[in-house]
Amino acid sequence: MPRRPPTRRAAAAAVLVVVLGLLLSPGAALAAGAPPASDAWPQFGQGATHLGTATGDTPHPPYRSEWRFPTPHGERALSAPVLTGDTAIALGTRFVYGLDLATGKPRWQIGRNGGSTLATPAVADVDGKQILLFTQGGTAKLSALVAYELPTGSDQPLPTFLWQLPLNDRSTTGVSVDGDTAFTADIGGDVTAVHISTEVQHVDVKRSLVLWDAVVGGVVPTPPAVGDGRVVVASRNRTTGAIEVDGIDESTHRIVWRKTDTAASSTSAITIDRDRVIVGFGETSGAGVLFALDLKDGLVEWSTRFSSPFLPFTNIPVAGGFAFALGNRLGLEAGLYRVRVDDGARVSVWSYGQGGLWSFEFDISGVFASPVVVGDSVVIGFDDGRIAAVDATSGVLVWRTDTGTAAVHGLAAGDDVIVASVGSRRGGVYAYQHDPGAPLLDEVSSSKPNWARMLGGYAVAFVGIGALAALAGFLLRPPGPGGPTNERADEPEEPDEDDVDSGEDDDDPGEGDPE
């Protein structure tokens, strides 16, 4: 992949710092409506387990740009999108925007009273109604979970306000939904399960919709994952900085297991793959570790180390028996690895391509946009506005584009469309469709070993070492008859009994083997 100038990378890193501080602002409402149909990507990671895999008729690369909804005036960025039927939904700090999925034109907007655009909304299907849920509030006092019923026809042009539930603190996690239950968490460590009522409740001051609360050890940055009776969250302790992952029993509401890592300083979002939890840690050393934990008891099934850490706001998709782990060095680089979920096996320089294992190195990070698995491809968004697709089987880059703006905040896969949110005033929401006339790229990663070049380099090095050894042997050889001597001319020359061949053995070429 072509390298970008350092100034571009520096700008991308600066944008990330700004984006991390996004908060506040009040809101209002306006607009027009349209009926939703099936749910293609209704929440972070597609479903409550956050597998990150397209389930609908999502187009494969190559793609072409179909439309763009610019960031509205007064908004600094928009959240990762969710898709329900023929509507795309994204959060600003002032408003929540519903867009026509075919054209990108606004259908409706409703007020949002501040809050982080790092939080992703969710849509639940309850009793045949589409319920939009999102968090809001830039302070603990204003923080709330809000519910609207989405329009079902032309006679209901705007979403209908249902209820607002006060939260204990600010939230960046957004919302996960499982059936008629919503899950969210806040920066104080409160994890809350909420009944998704379809009736108008107004402001639930008494918090009667709360099914249960649990408290974990620190700041929760990403949405809870829910599967097989467990609610799993990752948090960072404010005092010690240690990372912990907690498994909460959904029926007893108690923490039944906990994994703590004092060497880690960051964590990815949680993915639940059948009976295991997949989570990546970022260590204080700058390295990363990918773990598989038993969903029932939290015991480590396997762990695999990486040279780059795993950071918040992205999860690790799983499809076809492989996890697609994206490690990031903020503003510098990213590495996408295909990892076997049964045993944690990953690629090495000696096993590239064996057993379907590969990696791809990128020259910029992708901190906010989780990879999305679309059929035989993995689509990734980066912190300088680029979007790319890698063949999931071979690890070859097959498509890329450049929005020319700032960090991609999230990706969503729907029927006939890929939707991306680019988080800046010059960004917005972008839609891409399949382009049958465009050729696929065929670019290999710099991390793939070039054996011809490597063996050629070893051959040159071997010859060079041999030549140096021969030259050293010649220079260090004792003088023979007729050769130069430091002996006095009038003294007889006597042989030295230690006079032996002083030529040195060739260096072992194995010393040049790569690690």
Side-chain angles (χ1 to χ4, degrees), residues 40-259:
W41 201 275
Q43 60 183 301
F44 177 88
Q46 201 282 321
T49 57
H50 303 162
L51 287 174
T53 301
T55 59
D57 188 20
T58 304
H60 295 183
Y63 302 114
R64 66 168 182 263
S65 177
E66 192 65 20
W67 53 258
R68 174 193 170 213
F69 171 72
T71 302
H73 179 72
E75 302 283 11
R76 298 174 63 186
L78 298 177
S79 73
V82 295
L83 311 180
T84 177
D86 51 7
T87 303
I89 302 171
L91 306 179
T93 55
R94 302 174 65 237
F95 296 98
V96 181
Y97 301 90
L99 311 175
D100 187 294
L101 198 52
T103 65
K105 293 181 179 180
R107 284 185 160 169
W108 49 259
Q109 66 185 49
I110 54 178
R112 185 182 186 225
N113 191 20
S116 173
T117 55
L118 298 175
T120 305
V123 177
D125 188 344
V126 181
D127 297 333
K129 298 179 179 180
Q130 299 285 304
I131 309 300
L132 169 66
L133 300 129
F134 59 89
T135 56
Q136 68 178 19
T139 66
K141 185 176 181 179
L142 298 175
S143 295
L145 175 65
V146 184
Y148 279 79
E149 182 183 345
L150 291 177
T152 57
S154 57
D155 58 333
Q156 184 190 358
L158 284 173
T160 301
F161 173 73
L162 295 178
W163 45 265
Q164 177 175 311
L165 172 72
L167 298 176
N168 293 325
D169 212 332
R170 292 184 296 112
S171 175
T172 63
T173 68
V175 187
S176 294
V177 295
D178 185 27
D180 61 358
T181 305
F183 300 86
T184 189
D186 61 38
I187 64 172
D190 291 293
V191 182
T192 306
V194 181
H195 171 62
I196 304 174
S197 172
T198 61
E199 304 297 326
V200 176
Q201 303 282 339
H202 301 293
V203 179
D204 185 14
V205 178
K206 295 183 179 180
R207 304 185 90 227
S208 59
L209 294 175
V210 174
L211 298 174
W212 52 263
D213 278 307
V215 180
V216 297
V219 177
V220 182
T222 51
V226 187
D228 199 21
R230 290 283 189 267
V231 180
V232 185
V233 295
S235 63
R236 184 174 187 270
N237 190 289
R238 281 181 163 180
T239 303
T240 66
I243 294 298
E244 73 176 45
V245 179
D246 293 284
I248 304 170
D249 186 281
E250 196 171 355
S251 59
T252 66
H253 324 146
R254 295 182 178 180
I255 298 173
V256 293
W257 57 260
R258 171 173 292 164
K259 174 175 173 51

Side-chain angles (χ1 to χ4, degrees), residues 121-503:
V123 177
D125 188 344
V126 181
D127 297 333
K129 298 179 179 180
Q130 299 285 304
I131 309 300
L132 169 66
L133 300 129
F134 59 89
T135 56
Q136 68 178 19
T139 66
K141 185 176 181 179
L142 298 175
S143 295
L145 175 65
V146 184
Y148 279 79
E149 182 183 345
L150 291 177
T152 57
S154 57
D155 58 333
Q156 184 190 358
L158 284 173
T160 301
F161 173 73
L162 295 178
W163 45 265
Q164 177 175 311
L165 172 72
L167 298 176
N168 293 325
D169 212 332
R170 292 184 296 112
S171 175
T172 63
T173 68
V175 187
S176 294
V177 295
D178 185 27
D180 61 358
T181 305
F183 300 86
T184 189
D186 61 38
I187 64 172
D190 291 293
V191 182
T192 306
V194 181
H195 171 62
I196 304 174
S197 172
T198 61
E199 304 297 326
V200 176
Q201 303 282 339
H202 301 293
V203 179
D204 185 14
V205 178
K206 295 183 179 180
R207 304 185 90 227
S208 59
L209 294 175
V210 174
L211 298 174
W212 52 263
D213 278 307
V215 180
V216 297
V219 177
V220 182
T222 51
V226 187
D228 199 21
R230 290 283 189 267
V231 180
V232 185
V233 295
S235 63
R236 184 174 187 270
N237 190 289
R238 281 181 163 180
T239 303
T240 66
I243 294 298
E244 73 176 45
V245 179
D246 293 284
I248 304 170
D249 186 281
E250 196 171 355
S251 59
T252 66
H253 324 146
R254 295 182 178 180
I255 298 173
V256 293
W257 57 260
R258 171 173 292 164
K259 174 175 173 51
T260 303
D261 193 332
T262 57
S265 59
S266 65
T267 172
S268 71
I270 301 291
T271 301
I272 297 178
D273 172 42
R274 296 170 295 177
D275 57 354
R276 64 168 61 92
V277 174
I278 306 294
V279 60
F281 289 176
E283 296 187 332
T284 53
S285 64
V289 185
L290 187 67
F291 286 95
L293 310 177
D294 187 281
L295 179 61
K296 182 179 179 180
D297 55 26
L299 295 178
V300 176
E301 294 185 0
W302 52 257
S303 63
T304 304
R305 299 192 64 82
F306 296 83
S307 59
S308 296
F310 295 96
L311 302 177
F313 312 121
T314 59
N315 74 300
I316 297 162
V318 176
F322 292 92
F324 296 89
L326 184 69
N328 283 283
R329 293 187 181 276
L330 184 63
L332 296 176
E333 61 185 7
L336 180 67
Y337 288 78
R338 194 180 195 222
V339 180
R340 195 161 55 225
V341 292
D342 285 341
D343 57 10
R346 73 170 183 86
V347 70
S348 72
V349 69
W350 304 113
S351 65
Y352 197 101
Q354 296 179 17
L357 304 178
W358 51 259
S359 64
F360 201 101
E361 301 294 329
F362 298 92
D363 63 351
I364 190 65
S365 55
V367 174
F368 297 115
S370 299
V372 171
V373 180
V374 179
D376 294 330
S377 302
V378 185
V379 182
I380 315 105
F382 299 98
D383 297 333
D384 63 351
R386 279 180 282 176
I387 306 172
V390 176
D391 185 279
T393 302
S394 66
V396 171
L397 184 77
V398 294
W399 175 81
R400 65 166 173 260
T401 191
D402 194 342
T403 64
T405 53
V408 178
H409 258 199
L411 299 164
D415 290 343
D416 301 322
V417 69
I418 294 282
V419 179
S421 173
V422 180
S424 76
R425 290 189 177 97
R426 296 185 296 112
V429 179
Y430 295 69
Y432 297 89
Q433 292 187 334
H434 178 67
D435 185 355
L440 287 171
L441 303 178
D442 187 21
E443 296 186 9
V444 298
S445 171
S446 59
S447 61
K448 181 177 182 179
N450 186 325
W451 292 110
R453 183 181 302 168
M454 289 171 64
L455 292 175
Y458 289 145
V460 171
F462 184 81
V463 171
I465 291 172
L468 287 174
L471 178 60
F474 174 77
L475 294 176
L476 296 175
R477 185 180 60 189
T485 179
N486 290 326
E487 300 288 340
R488 291 177 56 180
D490 57 350
E491 292 184 359
E493 186 175 333
E494 296 184 1
D496 186 343
E497 60 186 13
D498 294 327
D499 194 4
V500 294
D501 184 6
S502 61

